[in-house]
């Protein structure tokens, strides 16, 4: 049995120690907001936060998550009111939307570390998140629109 | 406003027979097994196939096409709701199940709006007319004195108004109007059509609540992962079921039925591992230790194949369209130029790998899948299970990208077979490796172009040849040359004003599954044609723009149909959607003017341009690059698109951005290679797609037009590769004729 919390809720799961967090979230806890895109830390679709740090859930064994706090896209805010989520709608960022949970979780982590990133900072930080639909220019615009905006750090996880 | 994917009930369909079959029905889904996420809808009065009105005055509008990022779940209701005069905030979209009454639901070919714009307006207008008539009857006034606005019917001569919800039941009992009786809004009265309405699924997407094919979950559902043959047609000789079953969570293994030939959409040979979760199923696969009997396709090597096609293509081929005598003119031309181009196999790699969930019960099957093609899914599942199509219900989830991959229903058939076998709901999950190694590939291709110029540097002869394995090979196993459908994609429809023309094909057979991918054969044809125009310009010492002007010639309508070339024009009539040189020239002028592509550049920088008509839409692209120390950086990409009437300009813009990035990605990085019959790439580390740092600044210019709507999802892709290769040439003097660029310089 492995104990950890997801979006502020305590969970106990009976999973193989090597099972990646992504499949525990998706198949055992029914939290399908974190997506499978590659299974090898190449695409970022599975990005979640563990103790506030962005992590690719597809390569994170569940045993390494014991005792930790996980935030997924579902727990980022109540009612989608995180400034990044609002900016994503404001800029009509998503096309198919499949990569966007991961994009948003990465963008939130970026802005927590660097409240006003340059274009290059954004490129570097978001490099691990593929969008096959090609929404990159809008992602960048959305990140920039909130970059020197509200204090993001205090929004994250408050509602979790 | 309910944005969840919600499917129309089966009962609903049984009661409906085309426009206006009004009856009081429940709009809620009645699946055999209810997915966890399904929601009930309210009591609704149905006015026609696409429109029902709820008692609370909200409106359900059916989206019968698949949403994969192009915004169709927003644009379809936009059109219907505008003619209906419904208030947008009261509109919910209901996803249509597989049902032939809708017409084609195969969401590809950039035709959702192109084909259904008029029908959708009729649906909205017919429902509005019935509501107006019912209100007029209620008030005992003439129908000409009432009008609909924002989900109410108003009486002009009094202050009376009545809500759609109140009057809907009475309206549903009226005889629906005929199409001839309908009245339509004029353009100036549109409140929704032509407006950049925000995608209705966005709130669910940004909160992780959107339901994709991979996300379906049901009580007692099992997860399947299938180890498929790496070589097409290879057969399973033996495998270790016990080893797989010893993996924690694995419930069963199952040898998939033998894949017949032609391969069509039949699931590939392989062994399924069925488990209580995806991870266990994937782990079980690793220890299956399958012994394969490889078969003839194991001899296929793509590098050798390109060499073979290149040696063939320099010879005269089979003529499909000719004017004058290109060969004689080439002989006597003042100067000639020729070039050979190639593009490797490519794969769609949508962000969401294919996934389908099936339930089989009492001889009936229900599917939930990220499919572009619910009707074909229905037919293929029925055939595989030996049941009637009517006994298969197909629910369409959101698609995490499609690009043509998901219009092949093989993955749903796999799920259906396994659900029947297990007598429990089964979700088949494709891994990224499965997606890249066992897909339906964009064909490897080779093109050869030659032209002759007279003493005034005017092009007097034009010869073009193409060779690639045909999509039809997948469906026949015997077709061994490009077919008219493929040759209608930017090849036989070459719109140039040249006296001596020859368009020819060469033979090429298939060895891996060939399928269609975003803009299909336009990819290779527009690359070769757009590059060759640039090469000729250099040869004639004029600008690429001037060469395009010369080749396109006077404004006119081009009809490329000949006795030997039955040009398809994307399934449209040439009367309604002609090949209009004026529009081609206009987008080219527009993009050059707005991008400044004819201006000066700094050292090591260069612009490249190209223009192409596809899916009856006109698109020109200008790309600016920098090349330094054999590294190319794409700085800017601009496009001008004339797609006729536009429903949602923001989604047109985003599709332009996406299709240009798709084109840039394949031109810079795209390469599937095959060795001993098996695809060598396996995931995003070796089948690379464009990432943010490689993405240039992008600008899109939409031409205002009242022409009928053309395609939007694909026309942005074809001109990109040529504009890029041309830009690299102008920046560096290096001409790249074999894609991808990464094989020649760092990207
Ligand atoms: S699924 Fe985890 S990075 Fe791609
Ligand atoms: S929006 Fe489709 S992959 Fe990013």
């Amino acid at each position: 049995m492995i104990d950890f919390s997801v979006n502020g809720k305590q969970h106990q799961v009976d999973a193989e120690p090597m099972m990646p967090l992504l499949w525990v979230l998706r198949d055992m806890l029914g939290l399908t907001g974190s997506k499978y895109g590659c299974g090898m830390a190449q695409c970022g679709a599975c990005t979640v936060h563990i103790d506030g740090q962005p992590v690719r859930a597809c390569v994170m064994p569940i045993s390494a998550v014991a005792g930790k706090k996980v935030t997924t896209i579902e727990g980022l805010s109540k009612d989608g009111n995180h400034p990044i989520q609002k900016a994503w709608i404001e800029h009509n960022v998503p096309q198919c939307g499949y990569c966007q949970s991961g994009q948003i979780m990465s963008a939130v982590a970026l802005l927590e570390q660097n409240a006003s990133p340059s274009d290059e900072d954004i490129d570097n930080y978001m490099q691990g998140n593929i969008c096959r639909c090609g929404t990159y220019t809008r992602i960048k615009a959305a990140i920039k629109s909130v970059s020197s905006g509200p204090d993001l750090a205090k929004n994250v996880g408050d509602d979790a | 406003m309910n944005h969840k994917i919600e499917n129309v009930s089966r009962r609903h369909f049984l009661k409906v027979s085309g426009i206006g079959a009004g009856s009081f029905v429940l709009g809620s889904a009645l699946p055999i097994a209810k997915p966890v996420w399904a929601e009930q809808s309210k009591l609704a009065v149905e006015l026609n196939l696409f429109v029902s009105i709820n008692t609370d005055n909200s409106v359900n509008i059916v989206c019968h096409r698949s949403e994969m990022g192009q915004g169709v779940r927003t644009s379809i209701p936009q059109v219907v709701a505008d003619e209906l005069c419904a208030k947008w905030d009261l509109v919910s979209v209901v996803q249509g199940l597989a049902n032939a009454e809708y017409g084609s639901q195969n969401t590809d070919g950039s035709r959702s709006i192109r084909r259904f714009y008029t029908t959708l307006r009729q649906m909205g207008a017919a429902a509005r007319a019935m509501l107006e008539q019912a209100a007029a009857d209620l008030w005992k006034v003439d129908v000409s004195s009432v009008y609909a606005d924002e989900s109410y019917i108003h009486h002009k001569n009094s202050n009376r108004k009545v809500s759609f919800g109140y009057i809907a039941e009475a309206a549903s009992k009226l005889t629906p109007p005929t199409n001839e009786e309908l009245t339509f809004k004029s353009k100036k009265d549109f409140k929704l059509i032509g407006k950049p309405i925000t995608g209705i699924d966005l709130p669910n997407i940004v909160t992780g609540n959107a339901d994709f094919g991979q996300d379906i979950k049901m009580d007692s559902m099992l997860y399947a992962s299938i180890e498929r043959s790496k070589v097409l047609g290879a057969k399973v000789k033996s495998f270790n079921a016990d080893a797989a079953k010893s993996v924690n969570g694995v419930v069963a293994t199952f040898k998939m039925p033998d894949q017949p030939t032609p391969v069509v959409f039949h699931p590939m040979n392989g062994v399924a591992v069925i488990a209580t979760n995806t991870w266990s199923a994937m782990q079980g696969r690793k220890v299956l230790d399958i012994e394969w009997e490889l078969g003839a396709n194991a001899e296929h090597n793509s590098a050798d194949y390109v060499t073979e096609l290149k040696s063939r293509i320099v010879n005269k081929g089979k003529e499909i369209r000719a004017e004058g005598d290109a060969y004689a003119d080439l002989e006597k031309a003042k100067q000639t130029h020729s070039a050979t181009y190639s593009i490797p196999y490519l794969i769609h790699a949508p962000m969401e790998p294919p996934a389908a969930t099936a339930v089989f019960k009492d001889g009936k099957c229900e599917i939930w899948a990220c499919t572009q093609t619910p009707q074909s899914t229905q037919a293929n599942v029925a055939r595989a299970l030996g049941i009637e199509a009517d006994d298969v219900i197909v629910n369409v989830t959101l698609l995490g990208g499609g690009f043509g991959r998901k219009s092949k229903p093989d993955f749903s058939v796999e799920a259906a077979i396994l659900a029947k076998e297990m007598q429990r709901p089964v979700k088949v999950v494709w891994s990224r490796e499965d997606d890249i190694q066992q897909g339906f590939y964009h064909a490897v291709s080779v093109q050869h172009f030659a032209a002759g110029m007279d003493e005034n540097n005017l092009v007097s002869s034009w010869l073009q040849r193409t060779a690639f394995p045909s999509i039809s090979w997948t469906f026949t196993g015997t077709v061994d040359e490009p077919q008219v459908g493929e040759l209608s994609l930017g090849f036989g429809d070459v719109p140039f004003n040249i006296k001596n023309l020859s368009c020819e094909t060469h033979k090429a057979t298939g060895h891996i599954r060939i399928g269609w991918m975003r803009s299909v054969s336009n990819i290779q044809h527009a690359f070769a044609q757009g590059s060759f125009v640039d090469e000729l310009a250099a040869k004639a010492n004029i600008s690429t723009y001037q060469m395009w002007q010369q080749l396109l010639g006077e404004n006119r309508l081009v009809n490329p149909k000949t006795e030997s070339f039955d040009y398809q024009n994307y399934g449209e009539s040439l009367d309604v959607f002609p090949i209009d040189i004026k529009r081609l020239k206009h987008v080219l002028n527009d993009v050059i003017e707005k991008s400044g592509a004819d201006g000066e550049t700094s050292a090591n920088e260069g612009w490249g341009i190209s223009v192409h008509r596809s899916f009856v839409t006109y698109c020109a692209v200008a790309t600016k690059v920098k090349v330094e120390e054999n590294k190319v950086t794409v700085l800017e990409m601009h496009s001008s698109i004339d797609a006729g009437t536009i429903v949602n300009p923001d989604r047109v813009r985003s599709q332009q951005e996406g299709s240009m990035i798709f084109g840039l990605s394949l031109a810079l990085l795209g390469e599937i290679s095959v060795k001993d019959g098996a695809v060598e790439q396996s995931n995003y580390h070796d089948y690379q797609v464009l990432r943010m740092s490689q993405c240039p600044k992008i600008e899109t210019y939409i031409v205002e037009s009242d022409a009928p709507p053309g395609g939007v999802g694909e026309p942005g892709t074809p001109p990109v590769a040529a504009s890029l290769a041309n830009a690299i040439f102008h920046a560096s003097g290096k001409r790249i004729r074999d894609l991808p660029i990464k094989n020649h310089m760092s990207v």
Side-chain angles (χ1 to χ4, degrees), chain A residues 22 35-39 41-46 56 58:
Chain A
L22 177 65
K35 305 300 182 193
Y36 164 79
C38 71
Q42 283 291 315
C43 75
C46 63
R56 310 295 186 219
C58 68

Side-chain angles (χ1 to χ4, degrees), chain A residues 93-100 103 130-135, chain B residues 351 400-401:
Chain A
V93 171
Q95 287 186 32
C96 80
Y98 195 78
C99 72
Q100 300 295 346
Q103 304 279 5
I130 293 173
C131 175
R132 182 63 163 148
C133 294
T135 62
Chain B
M351 211 66 226

